[in-house]
Amino acid sequence: MLDAVRRTAVPLVPIVTNFGVPAAVFEAVLADPARRAGLVERLRLLAAAGDHTGLDLDFEQLAPRSRTAFTALAEQTAAALHADGRGW
């Protein structure tokens, strides 16, 4: 099925979630620049491995205090994907 989609102009954008990850664990990753950079690299590799146009970061149940760190994750992930020629 993915091969059929790839033959169209429809971009492949898988959803990445934090489902099943305790909020405190995920928030700790977001808050630590080195760990966040590791997550960004894993997300970049995921997109490259699947030849995806981009990723939909659907992270939920984050505390308001994590807003700045989540924004940094989104910006850093976008920059990494764009550097690889991905995105719109």
Side-chain angles (χ1 to χ4, degrees):
M1 183 160 114
L2 286 177
D3 289 335
V5 172
R6 283 192 172 100
R7 289 190 296 269
T8 71
V10 175
L12 290 174
V13 182
I15 298 171
V16 181
T17 74
N18 61 333
F19 181 77
V21 178
V25 171
F26 191 70
E27 290 171 0
V29 170
L30 291 177
D32 182 320
R35 291 169 73 188
R36 187 173 60 240
L39 177 56
V40 168
E41 178 61 10
R42 286 174 182 82
L43 292 170
R44 186 192 69 76
L45 292 172
L46 172 69
D51 196 25
H52 302 303
T53 302
L55 300 170
D56 177 356
L57 304 180
D58 183 18
F59 300 135
E60 299 181 9
Q61 305 300 319
L62 300 176
R65 68 179 172 272
S66 295
R67 180 178 182 167
T68 300
F70 175 73
T71 299
L73 173 72
E75 290 172 344
Q76 292 163 3
T77 301
L81 296 181
H82 290 162
D84 281 355
R86 300 188 187 291
W88 291 269

